[in-house]
Amino acid sequence: MALFIMILRKMINNKWLELSLLFGLIVCIALTSSMPIYTSAILERMLKQELRLLQENSNRYPGIYWISAKMSAEDTRKGDKIADTDRYLETKGDQFGLPVQYFVRERSTQLYSLLPEDQEKRDVNFQRSATVSAIDGLEDHIRLVDGRLPAGEPVNGVYEALVVKEALSELGMALNDVFIINDGSLKEPVYMKPVGVIDRKDYSDLFWYNIPGSYKNSFFISFELFDKDFSVSGKLNVQSSYWYYALDYTKITLASVDHLQRTSRTITAYMNSHYETYDKYVPALRTVEVYLAKASDLQVVLWSLGVPVFLMLVFYLYMVANLITERQKTEIAVLRSRGASRLQIIVSYAAEGVVLGAVAFFTGPYLGVVLAKILGASSGFLEFVQRAKLDGEVNREALTYSLIGLSFSLLMILIPVYLATGYSIAVHKQQSARKQKRSFWHRYFFDVILIGVALYGLNNYKVRKNELLSLGLSSADLRIDPMLFIIPALFILGLGLLVLRLYPLFLRIVYTAGKRWWPPAVYSTLIQVGRSTLQYHFIMMFLIITIATGLFSASSARTINENTTDKIRYATGADISLKVYWENDAPPAIAYSYLAGNAESDAGNSDSADGVPPRTQYSEPAFLPFTQLPGVEHAAKVFIKHDVEFSNGSADGKVQLMGVNTKDFGETAWMRDYLLDHHINAYLNLIARHPSTVLISKSMQEEYGLQPGDSITLSWPGVEGAQFTVYGVIDYWPSWNPNRGSDGSHKPMLVVGNLTYIQNNLALEPYEVWLKLGPGASSQRVYQAIVDHGYSVESLEDANQEEIKALKDPFLLAVNGMMTLGFLISVLICFYGFLLYWVLSMFSRTLQLGILRAMGVSVVQVIVMLGCEQVMISGAAIVIGIITGSLTSRLFVPLFELTFDPSKQVPPFQVTFDPVDEVRLYWIVVVMISVGLAVLGYFVSRIRIHQAVKLGED
């Protein structure tokens, strides 16, 4: 206890540095714990949404856990086996990790032939067959449509049963008719009598995993009676037994996913060992497996994106620990000289770290929950939206990661202590009197090594990207590689250290160039900074990493977001593209198959002997209402026909044909700038003046050697060909993907022509309608207006809705959120470190400033000198950070193309720099530095410089 009190007193004596160290530890643990908290929360949200979507699409409840077992007639232990399974599965209900809403047991016999007891109702042409079934708890979930409930025991040897209304017609029976089951394998006949017709009491009741209509060949009797007379006694062969859980999937978490999978495996193992044939239906498991893989990849992405932030925190913790150690080096040297071992000194400082670490461990994870919510609210770099908050909470995984982060942080704190314990008091005094040596990083050329590793990784990724593009592979062929995010951080650190290695040389050149003209304040500052650059390394690296990381994060997030949205808009072609139903005279598909089959047998007498379907005549719906829909600025007709036959006399092939009305298309379609040699409207103007002209894709030009001015013929089955003239060559066109497919097939080919000419000379066939919406227009209003006009929509793509869906993807949320959060934490840490460093630096230089004042240096000159020092240190670090960040972005942001599917990434991946992001970043840094300098000025103003120089002072 006395030792603990001594440690606390020692910490109180250095309270500001200890609080600074505690601040760093809390932030480090908060950031570490926020990653599993965020991963868990975002994946839980996405998993619930995916399961909800599964329910909407399949009309089946995703919480179903259904098991069926088949049994042979020869199995003599059937009743015992079923009872054992009942007891086993009842115990498993609490192990799924999800609330069990229902546990339902069902039994069913084999299918038996039925004969009416009344001889007059027997019909040899009407064969009846049915099963006898029982569902545990059925009585509480049905309503009687007709008749009454059956007795719990046979009445005069007749089993009374319930049936669904479909069974009356399927089995040709009426209530109270008696039927006989006797197929020769039974010891005695069994008599069944339907006495009631049932339906579901509540159609949303999860008790029913099958619709009642599926029981149209079943007689329902009491569950207890079924087990007693059939499962145990064996009057009828019990062929199937079913067990069904209705699990509340809305309460699913990543922790319950583990329970669900583990319990499912144990149930599977049990069924394998007890039954030869069984089935299992769990629709949620496949979705869960996909999301567990996503969780693993998302963890990798988050940790990789957090590398620059952790790098900043390591610098901060090391700097504060080094400042504490520097102030106590004399004390440590005295202890070493008086016989204290290195281990004893390190343990005493470790005890301080444990005290601070305990406080950080119990507060950091809760701050991590706040950080996770910031991650979930980010929609871009330093952009936030109103989104449903994440239900993040501190879990076991978060505490585990916090403990690991704390251990690593304490290790970083003890490094300066370990280095300081290597000197005795005599050596310490000698070191203090000598000129500072080069830093550890520069002495062993860590800057060169880090840059070399980063450039090697850059070259390696460029080679892999070129292979990916040349082979037409998809991004699925590459796993997410953490180095894709780590090597930029290594490059930033290495380049910053390299510049700091050269910075003293730059100062020496500046000093030498103007030493005859520099005013005293600048002259003194150049000498001060030039001779003591080592002590400024940490604060300069803080600023360099903050600025460079911010620029790289802004460019990365903007590039990923822009390429994602551009891909969606290009693929859609406009804000909305849709197809509506056209009235036509085409026969139904079944009828045409029959006609085509007859055509083969009557080849000589049929006009369709070649198997070509007759030409369909279409009736074009009105187009004008599309231009008048609420929120629609422009609308365009876009005819797209695949596998159009092309020939030019010397060659032929198949191409995709697109017909457009040039003016409407130019006003409606979306196209990224600079994809074509000229603006898209220039190409549209070419074919607008001459309707018979077309544009062809570059792949078509390369394949067939076509040039502007050449004539081509286009046609398709049932349509006579028409002549066109090539007027231009294009690389890209809205909605058309020019890339080779992943199967290695030849490149797609495109012909763009005038829609009116195509309709007049080839055929009038259904086209797509492309819509461009005005600012703030509602897609839902457009959908409703289309329905109100009486159109039957066959397909619809909405670029705006697809963008929203894409930006909600966990990976994009993680990238945007982590880069924003990382930068904000970097700024906060940098601000705190900046303030701490300069305040302590000013207090340590009180004597020096007092001597300058005593020598006649005015207050204005002292302020100018401090201002020049800030320019040469903070200002230089900011400039270096800007250069480093810009260079890092241009070199490494293109590597993010590997996270996209190159075969589908059209338009091509493009690095994006938005000046707004940079301005926002610079403003944050300016405010940080300004506030820091204001606080610094306040502390400096309180230093009584005139009292610093006293008689007897050195």
Side-chain angles (χ1 to χ4, degrees):
M1 188 65 184
L3 179 62
F4 180 72
I5 293 174
M6 183 185 72
I7 291 173
L8 288 180
R9 286 176 178 174
K10 183 179 176 183
M11 293 171 65
I12 291 172
N13 290 335
N14 292 302
K15 55 182 178 296
W16 294 114
L17 284 174
E18 297 290 350
L19 288 174
S20 301
L21 193 59
L22 176 62
F23 169 76
L25 289 172
I26 291 175
V27 172
C28 184
I29 291 177
L31 183 63
T32 305
S33 61
S34 70
M35 295 184 183
I37 292 172
Y38 170 78
T39 303
S40 176
I42 192 64
L43 285 176
E44 282 174 17
R45 175 191 288 178
M46 301 304 292
L47 181 56
K48 290 175 184 176
Q49 290 177 355
E50 198 69 23
L51 291 173
R52 251 183 249 116
L53 187 63
L54 177 66
Q55 182 174 5
E56 294 172 4
N57 294 339
S58 65
N59 202 27
R60 298 297 297 270
Y61 185 69
I64 291 174
Y65 197 104
W66 178 85
I67 309 165
S68 73
K70 301 290 184 184
M71 289 158 285
S72 64
E74 294 77 19
D75 191 347
T76 58
R77 295 187 60 256
K78 195 178 301 182
D80 294 338
K81 188 185 294 185
I82 293 175
D84 289 343
T85 306
D86 283 347
R87 287 189 291 271
Y88 174 79
L89 292 178
E90 282 176 353
T91 63
K92 289 297 177 184
D94 296 332
Q95 299 177 21
F96 283 108
L98 294 172
V100 177
Q101 296 167 304
Y102 290 106
F103 174 57
V104 182
R105 296 175 294 168
E106 181 181 346
R107 314 275 195 258
S108 181
T109 67
Q110 73 178 58
L111 198 65
Y112 287 101
S113 297
L114 297 175
L115 285 176
E117 185 183 42
D118 188 347
Q119 295 286 343
E120 295 181 357
K121 294 184 179 182
R122 296 184 181 182
D123 185 357
V124 295
N125 296 320
F126 188 78
Q127 301 295 324
R128 299 176 176 87
S129 59
T131 65
V132 181
S133 300
I135 302 178
D136 186 18
L138 175 70
E139 297 79 6
D140 298 328
H141 300 273
I142 59 171
R143 63 182 180 87
L144 276 172
V145 177
D146 194 8
R148 61 180 175 82
L149 293 175
E153 294 291 336
V155 179
N156 298 323
V158 177
Y159 290 90
E160 295 183 346
L162 297 171
V163 295
V164 297
K165 58 184 178 181
E166 291 84 356
L168 298 177
S169 57
E170 179 71 18
L171 300 176
M173 64 183 179
L175 292 183
N176 299 312
D177 288 346
V178 178
F179 290 85
I180 304 172
I181 299 175
N182 189 6
D183 65 351
S185 64
L186 301 179
K187 296 178 181 178
E188 58 182 13
V190 175
Y191 295 87
M192 303 296 302
K193 181 172 72 173
V195 298
V197 179
I198 60 171
D199 194 6
R200 287 179 288 185
K201 182 185 293 186
D202 182 358
Y203 275 68
S204 62
D205 190 355
L206 297 178
F207 176 86
W208 296 94
Y209 64 90
N210 277 329
I211 59 173
S214 63
Y215 296 103
K216 61 184 179 182
N217 291 90
S218 296
F219 290 101
F220 286 108
I221 66 172
S222 164
F223 188 82
E224 291 75 14
L225 179 61
F226 185 101
D227 269 355
K228 183 179 71 173
D229 285 7
F230 300 147
S231 298
V232 177
S233 299
K235 286 185 178 181
L236 294 177
N237 175 38
V238 179
Q239 187 180 55
S240 303
S241 184
Y242 307 93
W243 297 270
Y244 160 68
Y245 296 94
L247 306 175
D248 187 359
Y249 76 91
T250 61
K251 301 295 191 298
I252 196 165
T253 64
L254 290 185
S256 62
V257 163
D258 292 335
H259 292 295
L260 177 62
Q261 287 189 312
R262 191 183 310 114
T263 304
S264 181
R265 286 193 294 268
T266 59
I267 290 176
T268 300
Y270 178 89
M271 298 301 289
N272 276 328
S273 63
H274 287 74
Y275 297 93
E276 292 183 2
T277 305
Y278 76 94
D279 291 314
K280 187 171 70 172
Y281 176 64
V282 190
L285 271 184
R286 183 172 181 83
T287 306
V288 163
E289 289 169 359
V290 171
Y291 269 84
L292 283 178
K294 283 190 175 183
S296 176
D297 288 344
L298 186 58
Q299 286 277 29
V300 173
V301 171
L302 283 172
W303 284 106
S304 303
L305 290 173
V307 167
V309 190
F310 284 113
L311 186 65
M312 173 71 71
L313 287 169
V314 166
F315 263 85
Y316 176 82
L317 292 173
Y318 187 85
M319 185 192 78
V320 176
N322 192 58
L323 288 173
I324 294 174
T325 306
E326 285 290 333
R327 298 186 68 175
Q328 299 176 1
K329 265 188 176 181
T330 302
E331 179 184 340
I332 294 172
V334 169
L335 290 174
R336 285 287 288 138
S337 299
R338 292 182 177 179
S341 68
R342 299 183 77 170
L343 180 60
Q344 288 175 319
I345 297 174
I346 291 173
V347 167
S348 68
Y349 278 88
E352 294 182 28
V354 169
V355 172
L356 296 176
V359 177
F361 182 77
F362 289 107
T363 57
Y366 297 97
L367 179 59
V369 174
V370 178
L371 298 183
K373 292 180 179 179
I374 294 175
L375 279 170
S378 179
S379 62
F381 184 71
L382 296 178
E383 295 177 2
F384 300 93
V385 295
Q386 289 292 336
R387 185 182 287 132
K389 68 177 182 178
L390 292 177
D391 297 326
E393 59 182 16
V394 179
N395 50 36
R396 180 181 298 178
E397 189 178 11
L399 294 176
T400 302
Y401 278 106
S402 298
L403 192 59
I404 295 173
L406 178 61
S407 301
F408 181 77
S409 300
L410 293 179
L411 180 64
M412 291 303 302
I413 291 172
L414 293 177
I415 290 176
V417 178
Y418 174 79
L419 296 176
T421 56
Y423 301 104
S424 64
I425 186 64
V427 176
H428 170 62
K429 290 297 183 180
Q430 290 174 353
Q431 293 290 338
S432 301
R434 291 174 182 173
K435 183 181 178 181
Q436 290 177 312
K437 298 179 180 179
R438 289 184 301 171
S439 67
F440 171 80
W441 309 98
H442 290 152
R443 190 182 311 159
Y444 296 101
F445 294 93
F446 270 84
D447 50 349
V448 178
I449 293 172
L450 290 173
I451 293 175
V453 171
L455 293 179
Y456 172 77
L458 175 64
N459 181 68
N460 187 40
Y461 275 108
K462 283 184 175 179
V463 171
R464 293 174 67 183
K465 183 184 76 172
N466 292 335
E467 291 176 353
L468 196 71
L469 293 171
S470 62
L471 296 176
L473 301 175
S474 69
S475 58
D477 295 295
L478 287 177
R479 298 290 295 168
I480 295 177
D481 194 339
M483 291 302 294
L484 187 65
F485 304 96
I486 294 175
I487 57 176
L490 298 180
F491 184 79
I492 289 173
L493 178 59
L495 189 58
L497 290 172
L498 180 63
V499 175
L500 290 183
R501 177 192 289 273
L502 302 175
Y503 188 58
L505 178 61
F506 170 77
L507 289 177
R508 194 174 299 116
I509 293 173
V510 172
Y511 167 76
T512 304
K515 63 181 179 180
R516 294 185 179 181
W517 302 282
W518 295 130
V522 177
Y523 186 90
S524 174
T525 303
L526 284 170
I527 294 176
Q528 169 70 25
V529 176
R531 292 178 178 176
S532 308
T533 52
L534 184 59
Q535 67 177 337
Y536 301 119
H537 277 184
F538 276 110
I539 191 61
M540 293 184 75
M541 281 305 302
F542 266 135
L543 291 170
I544 290 171
I545 293 176
T546 301
I547 302 295
T549 301
L551 286 174
F552 177 74
S553 298
S555 178
S556 300
R558 181 69 62 179
T559 295
I560 292 173
N561 292 334
E562 289 293 328
N563 281 278
T564 299
T565 56
D566 284 1
K567 173 183 174 181
I568 292 170
R569 291 202 167 275
Y570 182 91
T572 307
D575 290 337
I576 295 177
S577 68
L578 61 105
K579 284 183 179 179
V580 297
Y581 175 74
W582 286 36
E583 294 288 343
N584 60 80
D585 61 357
I590 297 176
Y592 173 69
S593 299
Y594 173 77
L595 293 174
N598 286 342
E600 294 179 3
S601 60
D602 297 330
N605 300 321
S606 175
D607 295 334
S608 302
D610 57 356
V612 176
R615 180 173 173 179
T616 303
Q617 300 296 325
Y618 292 94
S619 176
E620 181 181 4
F623 177 74
L624 182 62
F626 286 107
T627 64
Q628 299 171 344
L629 296 175
V632 173
E633 285 189 347
H634 301 286
K637 305 174 182 178
V638 181
F639 173 67
I640 299 177
K641 186 75 174 180
H642 297 278
D643 295 330
V644 173
E645 296 172 357
F646 138 82
S647 65
N648 69 336
S650 60
D652 56 31
K654 290 189 176 182
V655 299
Q656 176 182 321
L657 174 64
M658 180 182 288
V660 300
N661 289 329
T662 54
K663 182 177 184 299
D664 293 341
F665 187 82
E667 293 174 336
T668 305
W670 182 91
M671 187 72 166
R672 182 199 280 175
D673 294 335
Y674 310 115
L675 278 180
L676 301 171
D677 294 336
H678 308 281
H679 194 277
I680 187 174
N681 290 345
Y683 292 92
L684 291 171
N685 290 336
L686 282 177
I687 60 176
R689 300 188 185 96
H690 305 283
S692 63
T693 60
V694 293
L695 308 171
I696 65 171
S697 63
K698 191 172 184 180
S699 58
M700 190 173 175
Q701 180 195 39
E702 293 173 348
E703 180 73 18
Y704 300 109
L706 297 174
Q707 298 295 332
D710 291 349
S711 295
I712 61 173
T713 301
L714 300 176
S715 64
W716 58 86
V719 175
E720 187 177 347
Q723 292 285 333
F724 295 86
T725 304
V726 177
Y727 256 40
V729 180
I730 52 177
D731 296 314
Y732 299 93
W733 200 256
S735 80
W736 179 67
N737 187 344
N739 290 343
R740 186 188 305 273
S742 58
D743 58 354
S745 59
H746 66 278
K747 280 195 171 185
M749 301 180 189
L750 176 69
V751 175
V752 180
N754 190 290
L755 177 60
T756 304
Y757 184 84
I758 292 172
Q759 290 176 336
N760 292 336
N761 292 273
L762 289 171
L764 174 64
E765 293 193 2
Y767 50 72
E768 295 181 4
V769 177
W770 288 11
L771 305 176
K772 180 180 180 180
L773 305 184
S778 169
S779 296
Q780 293 299 328
R781 289 188 62 196
V782 175
Y783 303 158
Q784 188 59 48
I786 292 173
V787 174
D788 293 342
H789 278 84
Y791 294 108
S792 177
V793 178
E794 293 185 336
S795 66
L796 184 145
E797 294 182 20
D798 190 328
N800 294 327
Q801 297 304 314
E802 290 298 320
E803 280 183 32
I804 294 172
K805 189 186 300 182
L807 292 175
K808 287 183 179 179
D809 182 86
F811 290 95
L812 276 181
L813 286 174
V815 170
N816 290 320
M818 195 62 208
M819 288 184 172
T820 297
L821 181 62
F823 174 71
L824 293 178
I825 290 177
S826 296
V827 168
L828 182 64
I829 290 292
C830 184
F831 169 72
Y832 205 86
F834 174 87
L835 197 60
L836 177 67
Y837 178 86
W838 283 111
V839 168
L840 292 177
S841 177
M842 289 301 103
F843 277 107
S844 66
R845 293 168 58 187
T846 302
L847 177 60
Q848 178 189 6
L849 297 177
I851 293 173
L852 290 174
R853 288 289 291 120
M855 292 172 61
V857 179
S858 65
V859 174
V860 175
Q861 288 176 314
V862 170
I863 294 174
V864 171
M865 182 180 69
L866 294 177
C868 291
E869 189 172 344
Q870 288 296 323
V871 169
M872 293 180 190
I873 296 171
S874 302
I878 291 173
V879 172
I880 295 170
I882 292 172
I883 296 172
T884 302
S886 299
L887 182 59
T888 305
S889 299
R890 297 187 185 280
L891 288 176
F892 293 94
V893 170
L895 298 183
F896 283 102
E897 185 174 3
L898 290 173
T899 62
F900 293 80
D901 188 341
S903 64
K904 297 179 182 178
Q905 182 53 41
V906 183
F909 192 83
Q910 175 178 286
V911 179
T912 303
F913 293 92
D914 192 336
V916 174
D917 292 333
E918 296 184 15
V919 170
R920 191 185 297 125
L921 170 67
Y922 296 149
W923 268 113
I924 290 175
V925 174
V926 167
V927 170
M928 177 192 77
I929 297 296
S930 300
V931 172
L933 290 177
V935 175
L936 181 62
Y938 170 76
F939 278 105
V940 171
S941 66
R942 299 189 64 185
I943 298 176
R944 298 180 180 181
I945 297 178
H946 64 279
Q947 293 182 357
V949 183
K950 297 179 181 178
L951 186 64
E953 285 187 338
D954 183 13

